[in-house]
């Protein structure tokens, strides 16, 4: 069967790889029963590219202009060694300005500049290469660019920096770690999460800082964007709590109040506020523990399964069909909330409505929402639910109570319609 990594690589094939992030972890935790998303995320599959191959391209996404604006806003907040960020921490946390005015500012993004010459062979800036030098042996411009550290190296840097600032913490200093990398176990695979920043031991606690470019108008933000930011921040806090506990400092050193930095009104001026994510943190932790282990999910899949058939490009109409068949072999748990969280939602919705997975006629109950799916218990098909309501079929073992409720509801509906006529 091969190792877990080799099987995940086989599933991905030549599809672009995407790492887990706080958004994908939060979306997976919101629908822990979806084996399809669990497998896709564990394999690092670019679901946007896969959705296009399936003929159901993503119909939402952040514009390039918004992404550029977000990067510029974050750079503005962190400029000059985080001077403005320190002022925002003072504003949001209500601590004396002196408590956050000083302290280390460490960039953990992971770039290591390479020396342009060998040690001891210094040259003057702009000096020409020696005559007769072989250009093929000279370092190219690309080779001289700073190299990015690997994820495990960045995790090690984060661990060392966090351990150091916690050991050396004083009440009159505030160390800021810029773009740390936090590991988190998700269903048996390791995810790497990168919060915007961490402020270390302000008022005795570690605080996650989230910088968002959406606006706060008259003291209020868009509820949907605020809820999404809270769910993502909860993933960061959970990972940071695990890391702090692993370093021997305990989970309580991490605050559940996240510092949320946004733009004020219609300007580009930042403002900060505390976001209490205790509820989101508890929900995320509970849902992540409910996720099926990736090894168990892979064990139920056909051997040799791949979401990237090698000859799909040469198969014409059969190519997308082969991809649809491969994706359809992994069970999904579609609900309407998936439309705002998963790139495959439009394909899964079409599949659920048509019951292409062999669930019967009428579509899947999940298309009606989580509330109705919960009320109907283990009944998956709308057609079967209607048959139970009309008495067209006998309830299976364990369905007696819900069948009685459905028949009662159908009788009341008939009475109302008759009265209306």
């Amino acid at each position: 069967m091969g190792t877990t990594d080799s099987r995940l690589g086989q599933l991905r094939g030549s599809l672009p790889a995407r790492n887990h992030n706080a958004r994908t972890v939060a979306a997976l935790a919101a629908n822990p029963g979806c084996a399809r998303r669990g497998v896709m995320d564990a394999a690092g599959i670019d679901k946007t590219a896969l959705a296009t191959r399936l003929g159901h391209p993503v119909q939402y996404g952040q514009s390039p202009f918004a992404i550029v604006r977000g990067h510029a806003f974050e750079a503005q907040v962190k400029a000059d060694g985080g001077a403005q960020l320190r002022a925002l921490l003072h504003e949001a946390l209500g601590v004396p300005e002196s408590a956050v005015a000083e302290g280390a500012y460490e960039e953990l993004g992971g770039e290591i500049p390479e020396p342009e010459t060998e040690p001891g062979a210094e040259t003057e800036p702009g000096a020409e290469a020696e005559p007769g030098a072989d250009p093929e042996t000279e370092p190219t411009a690309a080779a001289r660019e700073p190299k990015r550290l690997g994820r495990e190296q960045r995790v090690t840097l984060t661990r060392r920096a966090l351990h150091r600032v916690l050991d050396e913490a004083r009440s009159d200093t505030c160390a800021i770690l810029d773009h740390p990398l936090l590991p988190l176990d998700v269903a048996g695979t390791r995810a790497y999460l990168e919060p915007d920043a961490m402020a270390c031991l302000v008022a005795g606690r570690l605080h996650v800082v989230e910088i968002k470019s959406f606006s706060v108008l008259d003291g209020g933000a868009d509820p949907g964007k605020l809820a999404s930011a809270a769910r993502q921040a909860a993933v960061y806090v959970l990972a940071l709590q695990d890391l702090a506990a692993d370093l021997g400092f305990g989970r309580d050193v991490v605050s559940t109040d996240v510092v949320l930095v946004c733009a004020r009104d219609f300007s580009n001026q930042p403002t900060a506020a505390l976001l209490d994510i205790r509820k989101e943190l508890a929900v995320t932790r509970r849902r992540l523990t409910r996720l099926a282990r990736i090894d168990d999910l892979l064990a139920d899949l056909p051997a040799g399964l791949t979401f990237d058939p090698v000859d799909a490009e040469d198969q014409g109409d059969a190519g997308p069909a082969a991809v649809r068949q491969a994706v359809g072999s992994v069970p999904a748990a579609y609900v309407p909330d998936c439309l705002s969280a998963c790139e495959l939602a439009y394909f899964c919705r079409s599949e659920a409505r048509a019951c292409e997975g062999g669930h019967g006629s009428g579509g899947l109950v999940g298309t009606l929402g989580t509330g109705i799916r919960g009320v109907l218990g283990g009944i998956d098909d709308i057609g079967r639910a209607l048959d139970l309501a009309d008495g067209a079929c006998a309830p299976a073992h364990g369905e007696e109570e819900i069948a009685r409720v459905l028949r009662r509801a159908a009788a009341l509906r008939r009475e109302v319609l008759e009265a209306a006529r």
Side-chain angles (χ1 to χ4, degrees), residues 90-115:
H90 160 63
E91 170 191 331
L93 297 172
V95 296
E97 190 172 356
S98 59
V100 295
E102 296 184 2
Y105 185 94
E106 298 192 40
E107 167 59 57
L108 300 174
E111 287 188 356
I112 297 182
E114 291 289 332

Side-chain angles (χ1 to χ4, degrees), residues 379-406:
I379 300 176
D380 295 328
D381 304 326
I382 296 175
R384 177 164 177 77
L386 294 175
D387 287 344
L388 288 173
D390 294 339
C393 68
H397 178 68
E399 293 180 347
E400 296 84 1
E401 179 61 24
I402 188 60
R404 185 187 64 79
V405 173
L406 287 170

